[in-house]
Amino acid sequence: MTRVVAVRHGETDWNRNGRMQGWAPTKLNETGREQAEGAGQWLADQYDIDTVYASDLDRTEETAELVLDAFDADFDVTYEPHWRERDIGVYQGFEYHEVQERFPKFSLGDAAYEAAMAVPEGGESLRDLADRVTERLDQVVADHAGETVLLVTHGGPLHVMLGYAKGLPLHEGLKQHHQDNCGVNELVAEDGELRVVRENERVWLE
């Protein structure tokens, strides 16, 4: 049995202000750092981690470092672009409500779920996001059979992964899930099947 313990990054000021981050080099704010430290303490108590992967964006790198400070072990983290948030191109930095009102085709609301192939200028479609995340997830599970893998990533990839494990169509997987900053998820791969055993658990102290 292989476990993938997947965690969203801690809060940034853009999260707090409702701005779309995409691939922006945003940093954790004080709350985000506290969330990452608290999640790390909980994870260190719950899991024996063998391998660590993370998105190579600033906010996930910072989260991974703070989480791993709680472990009595040294990990060589593999930072990869596969785990990045959706590249939203020219809409990066816009507030969610503004994109939904002015550019509904590319918002993260219902219209975007119905138009998964739509590509914002300079960005990628939701289908592109889903393909790169699920292909890499399958490879990591195959490469680390029997291990517990820690993954630090973003809301979009986590929505994709949860929907994928549940066998949902892409638009349903995106619509049905929510991820808090530093929410913890666990996916288990066994006998060729992937299933969700933990979903968006808030494990840090408020």
Side-chain angles (χ1 to χ4, degrees), residues 5 17 28-30 44 49 57 60 63 72-73 80 87 101 103 106-107 120 130 133 136 140 161 174 186 193 196:
V5 181
N17 296 327
L28 301 186
N29 58 23
E30 182 178 354
I49 300 297
L57 296 178
T60 38
T63 299
D72 292 327
E80 298 180 328
D87 183 357
E101 292 169 3
F103 315 103
F106 299 115
S107 78
V133 168
R136 187 61 182 135
V140 166
M161 292 166 58
L174 293 168
E186 182 181 339
E193 295 186 2
V196 178

Side-chain angles (χ1 to χ4, degrees), residues 128-140:
D128 292 333
L129 165 68
D131 288 347
R132 66 172 162 84
V133 168
T134 56
E135 288 171 8
R136 187 61 182 135
L137 175 63
D138 286 342
Q139 188 61 59
V140 166

Side-chain angles (χ1 to χ4, degrees), residues 139-200:
Q139 188 61 59
V140 166
V141 167
D143 289 346
H144 298 283
E147 296 184 15
T148 297
V149 177
L150 175 64
L151 169 63
V152 182
T153 183
H154 307 263
L158 287 165
H159 299 164
V160 166
M161 292 166 58
L162 292 168
Y164 180 61
K166 295 175 183 179
L168 298 174
L170 175 59
H171 68 283
E172 289 296 330
L174 293 168
K175 287 174 66 175
Q176 289 187 19
H177 296 101
H178 169 76
Q179 287 291 309
D180 293 307
N181 291 111
C182 282
V184 175
N185 307 268
E186 182 181 339
L187 287 75
V188 171
E190 189 172 22
D191 298 327
E193 295 186 2
L194 189 65
R195 56 189 173 89
V196 178
V197 298
R198 191 186 302 276
E199 184 173 331
N200 192 33

Side-chain angles (χ1 to χ4, degrees), residues 8-22 24-35 58-60 62-63 93-96 181:
R8 188 186 177 197
H9 62 81
E11 183 185 85
T12 69
D13 285 342
W14 283 30
N15 286 142
R16 180 169 293 181
N17 296 327
R19 297 176 65 188
M20 299 175 70
Q21 295 182 100
T26 52
K27 302 287 189 179
L28 301 186
N29 58 23
E30 182 178 354
T31 296
R33 291 188 290 273
E34 291 175 353
Q35 290 169 340
D58 288 354
R59 57 194 184 271
T60 38
E62 189 176 1
T63 299
F94 280 61
E95 294 184 5
Y96 287 102
N181 291 111

